[in-house]
């Protein structure tokens, strides 16, 4: 089960991906969600990774990758 904030961030990442063709940075996510701390964004994003909604590619900028149709889960 996702928290409300996790769902909002996943929706933002999905919408951003659909509009730009790549995932937003942690700073982009923080600004859009009103989270001042990059570590706060990191914590929520890594919860989504642990739950299988996102994947992370090590050593790459904007390294988040959406799992197939993550909002359908």
């Amino acid at each position: 089960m996702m928290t409300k904030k996790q769902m909002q961030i996943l929706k933002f990442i999905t919408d951003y991906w659909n509009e730009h063709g790549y995932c937003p940075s942690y700073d982009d996510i923080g600004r859009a969600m009103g989270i001042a701390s990059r570590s706060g964004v990191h914590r929520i994003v890594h919860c989504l990774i642990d739950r299988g909604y996102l994947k992370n590619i090590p050593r790459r900028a904007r390294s988040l990758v959406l799992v197939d149709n993550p909002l359908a889960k």
Side-chain angles (χ1 to χ4, degrees):
M1 180 174 235
M2 274 196 283
T3 66
K4 183 178 177 182
K5 186 61 86 174
Q6 289 170 347
M7 185 62 157
Q8 290 171 338
I9 288 178
L10 185 59
K11 181 173 179 356
F12 173 75
I13 292 170
T14 302
D15 292 345
Y16 193 98
W17 175 271
N18 290 334
E19 184 176 334
H20 300 282
Y22 54 88
C23 282
S25 67
Y26 285 8
D27 289 334
D28 293 335
I29 296 167
R31 278 192 298 274
M33 297 291 113
I35 302 171
S37 165
R38 187 182 298 170
S39 66
V41 173
H42 183 270
R43 181 179 46 80
I44 294 170
V45 166
H46 278 270
C47 284
L48 293 171
I49 291 169
D50 291 343
R51 293 179 180 189
Y53 293 102
L54 299 172
K55 289 183 184 177
N56 190 19
I57 300 171
R59 297 178 296 279
R60 283 194 49 201
R62 296 182 186 256
S63 63
L64 296 175
V65 177
L66 291 167
V67 174
D68 292 333
N69 208 1
L71 295 177
K73 287 186 178 183

